[in-house]
Amino acid sequence: MSNVHIEIKQATVRRYAEGNGFDAGDPFNLVCSLDFIGRGEVQMGADLAWPSHPITRADLRELRRQLTTDYRTKRLYCWRLKGLAPPFRGRIIREEGPLAYWEMPIEA
């Protein structure tokens, strides 16, 4: 008999207008996707709301707060065009064509 455990490790980051929220089923902007790729490690997808509703610094602060306190995330990864700054301080760990893959420690 096999001992198998399946974990769903994907998330969607949504932004609501002030006073609205998920529980009420209010309209939202889809900001980005998150893939939990390892223990304490998350890969952030593209800014899906750009250019009409780009991610703000306040969004990033709240994302960091939730990832570090609620999900105990230590590192965030994302692809960016070369020359564009990542969401948080970090280092490039891989380059592929016009893209750079960033690793960003986000522990509190």
Side-chain angles (χ1 to χ4, degrees):
M1 181 169 213
S2 178
N3 187 10
V4 175
H5 175 74
I6 297 174
E7 291 182 72
I8 305 300
K9 291 298 204 171
Q10 294 180 324
T12 301
V13 179
R14 299 175 180 182
R15 179 179 41 223
Y16 294 90
E18 192 66 37
N20 293 343
F22 178 78
D23 294 332
D26 293 319
F28 61 89
N29 296 323
L30 182 60
V31 177
C32 68
S33 62
L34 300 174
D35 294 312
F36 293 81
I37 59 175
R39 195 170 295 239
E41 298 182 336
V42 173
Q43 179 170 299
M44 187 167 86
D47 180 357
L48 301 173
W50 189 86
S52 58
H53 303 287
I55 295 174
T56 65
R57 283 280 156 208
D59 295 337
L60 290 172
R61 280 191 301 273
E62 179 60 16
L63 177 65
R64 181 182 198 156
R65 185 195 67 74
Q66 287 188 34
L67 284 173
T68 56
T69 58
D70 298 349
Y71 298 98
R72 291 183 238 125
T73 302
K74 296 177 182 167
R75 283 177 298 282
L76 183 69
Y77 298 88
C78 76
W79 286 98
R80 299 284 291 179
L81 284 173
K82 290 179 184 174
L84 291 180
F88 306 104
R89 290 185 186 154
R91 66 185 180 102
I92 295 174
I93 59 174
R94 183 173 155 199
E95 293 184 13
E96 188 71 39
L99 299 174
Y101 193 57
W102 286 85
E103 176 185 62
M104 298 154 281
I106 62 168
E107 288 182 280

